[in-house]
Every structure is written in C-alpha cells, then in structure tokens.
Amino acid sequence: MHRKNEVCRVCGGRTFTKFLELGDQPLANAFLTAEQVKAGKEDKFPLDVYVCHGCWHAQLLDVVSKETLFSHYLYFSTTTKTMPAHFASFAKEVADVHTKKGDFVVEIGSNDGILLAAFDPRERRILGVEPATNVAEFARKERAIPTMNRFWTPETATEITRDLGKAKVIISNNVIGHIDDLAGVTKGVKILLEPDGTWIWEAPYLVDLIEKNEFDTVYHEHLAYFAVHPARAMLERGGLKLVDVKRFGIHGGTIRVYAKHEEAPDEPSAEVQKLLALEKSMKLDTPEPYLALGERVKKLRTDLNQMLADLKAQGKRIAAYGAPAKGNTLLNYCGIGAQVLDYAQDTTPVKQGLYTPGMHVPVVHPAEFRKSPPDVALMLAWNYEREILEKEAEFRKRGGKFLIPIPTPRLV
Ligand code: DWN
Ligand code: ZN
C-alpha cells in the first residue's frame, strides 16, 4: 500500500531537503460513506515534500500504490465550465498544428474523455488510456471514446503500437506527476511515438506553487511538482528532448511541455530558455526558496484558522465551496472539520452524499447551497475563482462572502 523511495525518481540522487511537512494524511480522493466514517478506520500516510539536490526536482518520497489510488477514481474532469473550454482549445491546437487528417492521437490518463471528445473522429484516430475502471466506463458509455482501461506502461505502449500503429501525438495532462516510474513513462512514449511525433503534457508548475503558496495541491496522487529544469532532465534521461513549453492559469498555474525524440532536429524554443532563466533567478537550484515556502505555509494555517475562529465567534455559518482533492489537504493540515464547516457542496455526483477524508465534512449537492446558503463560503476550489464568483453573483449580492485561502486567506 505504501513505501518510501530512497532516491530521486528523476536523477537517482540521494540528497534531499524536506521543505513541506503536511503530517500523516488520508488519501485526498478517498471520500467516505457514512458507514466508513462510523467504522472509524482510515489509512493515513506521511505527506512530506522533498527537493533533490541533484536535479532540483520537488517530489514526494512516500509512495502509495497506483492500484490503491487510481483503480476506482472520484475525480471527473468535466465538473466545471473552465476545463472543457481549456481542453477544447488544447485539442484545436493539436489538430491544427501538430497533426494532419488520419493521424493517430493517444491520451494517457484520458479520464472521462473530456479532451478526446473535442476531436472529430472522422479527422483523427483517437484512443484514451485510463486506469480507473469507473471513469473509463463513463468515457466509453457517455462519450463513445475508445478507451483502454489500463495503467500506462511500456507493455501498454507496445500493445497499442502492435494493434493500432504509432501515434503522431501523445497527450498526458495532470498524469506524469502521478506516476512513480518515470523511466517507464518515457520508455512507453519512445515505443509509441512516431519518429517526428510530439508528446504534449500538462502539469502544475512549481513556480506557481511556490509564488502562490499552493501547498494544498500536494497530496499522495501528486508524486512530482515539476519545474522546467528537472522536467528537461527527466526527458533527456528517457531519450527525449524538451522543445517548447507554455504557461496557463488553470489548476493554479500549469506548464504545457512539448517533447520529441532526441534525434528530432527541433531546438528548444525561446520560452524554454525564458522559464529556465526564471527558475534560476528564483534560486530554485538552492534549498532557500523551498524552505521559505514551508514557513509561509505555516503562517497561512495560523492566519486561516484565526479568521475562521473570528467568523465563528461572530456567529457566522460557514460551508465549503467545492470538495476538491486539494481541499482535503488544506482541511486536514489546518484541522478544519465539521466544527467549522456545516457541509461542502460539490458538483461531482459521485462525491455527493459522502464525507471528506480525514475531517469527515458531509459533501452535498449544490442545491443545498442554494436552499440554505452559509454566511461565508470557504472556496476550496480556489483555482476556479472567476467561474465561481460569476456563478454565485446572487449569493454575493445578498451579502454572502467567499473566504479564499490561497495565496493568502482573504474575504471577498
Ligand atoms: O491532478 C488532479 C487535478 C487535475 O484534479 C487530480 N489528481 C485530482 C483533481 O484535483 P482537484 O480535485 O483538486 O481538482 P479540481 O478540478 O480543482 O476540483 C474542483 C472540485 O470543485 C470538483 O470536485 C468540482 C467542484 N466544483 C464545484 O463544486 N462547483 C467546482 C466548481 C468550479 C464549482 O462551481
Ligand atoms: Zn534528482
């Protein structure tokens, strides 16, 4: 179920600085039924983040098995307006820039098919690879997306290549950071990717995590917190080369990485050089900025708990807005539970009626938020601030407030 790595999963280094200690925590997506809460049994694992002195890759060393984390999964990508829009533009770029008619596009970690559904199946051949059986079923049944219910391994890549041929583009969004065996990931890409193909993947960007104190994006699913420097090291160790990178605001700040076979003629773009220089200017090749983040996170917990205590003392009713995985890291690290929050509303059907891991806050349908709105809503899904503030204009007009915890707690 859990083991601890001794070496860096990018460079094999053995020297680390531990810079975030978030305590023993339950799995962030392991929502509980009422019976499970009553049974009182809940697995917890150390949640500490280390940075490697060899390649400056920020990572977890405590590894929970992928079977435990991803065979049955409660996160569906299509529960907001923001993400379908983001992935529709991603698919358009892949169709317009990186492929031509008839090319094969494979997505690793295709979840509910949100991205592949944006391709025209008459124009491009598509295939999803998704380990969570419940989510893969949904993609097949609700979206008719051809989906292999598998973990991504070199064997999976070999099977796809044998049966369907090589892919012109491989996509993997918010997936690479979830996989312990990075050498296996790149080996599989080398097998499946056409000689002049492109591997395009998105991951939360470490620079944003540090600059905006996004400690709650740390949970056991996220083994890696990528900066461009260590991402390049990972690619080169796998016989690939980093050719371009783009930044986006989603999920608190994301990089989209473009990689090709090492033999490809492409040279790294100016944006690659720019982000490498930014990381150097932030001294991300020294322990200092990581340790400074650790101190800011401790202060954030104190300030947030003080604000919540003051609001409770004023008799305010408080509920959580969104029950994201990140929200559970925050609630467990800060010790915020049913003593503060009446409930957490969430648009994800499979989460409704369950309880949040660790703090056991009941998750309810958004209708509850409409029926009995709190005075203050703790915005756990802060990465959708704009979408949420627009959607809840009425709640705010009637005096409802949002407490946004990241980058520092503030009432709006
Ligand atoms: O990497 C991962 C990211 C991409 O998604 C996965 N490991 C797990 C997951 O993390 P998360 O659960 O923190 O993701 P989100 O997309 O920030 O979750 C938002 C949650 O908030 C969803 O459960 C939906 C909910 N929500 C809501 O109830 N009302 C969201 C919005 C915008 C809303 O208006
Ligand atoms: Zn390393």
Side-chain angles (χ1 to χ4, degrees), residues 319-347:
Y321 197 94
K326 66 170 78 64
N328 293 315
T329 294
L330 186 141
L331 296 183
N332 283 295
Y333 175 67
C334 299
I336 300 168
Q339 86 283 8
V340 172
L341 302 170
D342 296 349
Y343 58 79
Q345 73 77 46
D346 197 287
T347 50

Side-chain angles (χ1 to χ4, degrees), residues 183-261:
V185 169
T186 50
K187 193 151 175 268
V189 168
K190 288 290 285 180
I191 290 165
L192 181 61
L193 191 66
E194 279 193 28
D196 64 344
T198 311
W199 176 28
I200 310 175
W201 52 275
E202 289 186 350
Y205 189 26
L206 179 67
V207 163
D208 291 293
L209 193 160
I210 291 176
E211 286 185 338
K212 293 181 278 184
N213 306 329
E214 296 171 352
F215 78 94
D216 55 347
T217 58
V218 173
Y219 36 91
H220 295 99
E221 296 176 19
H222 289 173
L223 293 168
Y225 301 86
F226 279 108
V228 174
H229 178 81
R232 182 176 59 173
M234 172 194 75
L235 292 168
E236 290 173 354
R237 277 170 72 98
L240 295 153
K241 84 160 58 165
L242 170 61
V243 295
D244 195 10
V245 61
K246 285 186 184 143
R247 288 182 78 171
F248 293 88
I250 53 138
H251 287 308
T254 284
I255 43 173
R256 181 182 295 169
V257 170
Y258 299 78
K260 298 183 86 96
H261 286 292

Side-chain angles (χ1 to χ4, degrees), residues 87-106:
F87 288 130
S89 79
F90 190 144
K92 188 168 178 344
E93 179 192 305
V94 172
D96 295 351
V97 177
H98 303 281
T99 58
K100 59 185 184 322
K101 192 169 168 59
D103 278 345
F104 187 28
V105 177
V106 175

Side-chain angles (χ1 to χ4, degrees), residues 43-58:
D43 294 321
K44 296 191 177 182
F45 306 96
L47 188 55
D48 301 322
V49 193
Y50 300 78
V51 64
C52 163
H53 288 214
C55 67
W56 300 100
H57 182 47

Side-chain angles (χ1 to χ4, degrees), residues 113-403:
I114 180 175
L115 173 71
L116 290 175
F119 285 92
D120 178 342
R122 295 162 304 183
E123 296 289 313
R124 303 286 182 280
R125 290 182 296 131
I126 57 172
L127 175 71
V129 179
E130 170 53 51
T133 306
N134 64 317
V135 182
E137 275 307 296
F138 181 95
R140 285 191 194 115
K141 285 212 176 70
E142 304 298 321
R143 288 202 166 111
I145 301 292
T147 305
M148 276 176 91
N149 179 205
R150 289 287 184 76
F151 285 99
W152 176 252
T153 62
E155 295 68 32
T156 305
T158 303
E159 194 179 322
I160 297 170
T161 308
R162 186 194 60 215
D163 299 347
L164 297 166
K166 286 184 179 287
K168 189 64 176 290
V169 163
I170 299 173
I171 297 167
S172 46
N173 297 327
N174 300 304
V175 169
I176 304 309
H178 298 51
I179 300 177
D180 183 36
D181 177 10
L182 289 175
V185 169
T186 50
K187 193 151 175 268
V189 168
K190 288 290 285 180
I191 290 165
L192 181 61
L193 191 66
E194 279 193 28
D196 64 344
T198 311
W199 176 28
I200 310 175
W201 52 275
E202 289 186 350
Y205 189 26
L206 179 67
V207 163
D208 291 293
L209 193 160
I210 291 176
E211 286 185 338
K212 293 181 278 184
N213 306 329
E214 296 171 352
F215 78 94
D216 55 347
T217 58
V218 173
Y219 36 91
H220 295 99
E221 296 176 19
H222 289 173
L223 293 168
Y225 301 86
F226 279 108
V228 174
H229 178 81
R232 182 176 59 173
M234 172 194 75
L235 292 168
E236 290 173 354
R237 277 170 72 98
L240 295 153
K241 84 160 58 165
L242 170 61
V243 295
D244 195 10
V245 61
K246 285 186 184 143
R247 288 182 78 171
F248 293 88
I250 53 138
H251 287 308
T254 284
I255 43 173
R256 181 182 295 169
V257 170
Y258 299 78
K260 298 183 86 96
H261 286 292
E262 58 192 346
E263 305 80 5
D266 311 58
E267 284 308 310
S269 68
E271 186 63 10
V272 170
Q273 309 305 347
K274 195 173 129 208
L275 293 187
L276 287 171
L278 169 64
E279 293 169 10
K280 189 91 181 126
S281 71
M282 289 174 66
K283 298 190 175 15
L284 295 190
D285 54 356
T286 72
E288 277 62 46
Y290 303 90
L291 294 168
L293 169 68
E295 290 314 306
R296 291 198 300 276
V297 168
K298 287 181 198 144
K299 184 174 179 324
L300 192 155
R301 170 170 57 181
T302 309
D303 296 350
L304 176 60
N305 279 333
Q306 188 56 58
M307 281 179 83
L308 289 167
D310 295 349
L311 289 164
K312 290 304 270 187
Q314 296 158 30
K316 300 288 184 197
R317 285 177 308 120
I318 309 173
Y321 197 94
K326 66 170 78 64
N328 293 315
T329 294
L330 186 141
L331 296 183
N332 283 295
Y333 175 67
C334 299
I336 300 168
Q339 86 283 8
V340 172
L341 302 170
D342 296 349
Y343 58 79
Q345 73 77 46
D346 197 287
T347 50
T348 312
V350 291
K351 293 181 182 176
Q352 293 157 5
L354 299 181
Y355 292 79
T356 63
M359 298 313 294
H360 305 160
V361 176
V363 182
V364 300
H365 188 283
E368 180 66 19
F369 184 81
R370 298 258 171 281
K371 201 158 87 308
S372 59
D375 300 306
V376 177
L378 177 60
M379 194 189 284
L380 295 177
W382 47 263
N383 44 318
Y384 299 108
E385 178 180 339
R386 182 143 28 103
E387 176 174 342
I388 293 170
L389 293 182
E390 268 163 32
K391 186 163 120 178
E392 300 303 344
E394 195 46 39
F395 165 71
R396 300 180 69 205
K397 225 184 289 163
R398 284 204 309 275
K401 295 281 181 212
F402 277 99
L403 205 183

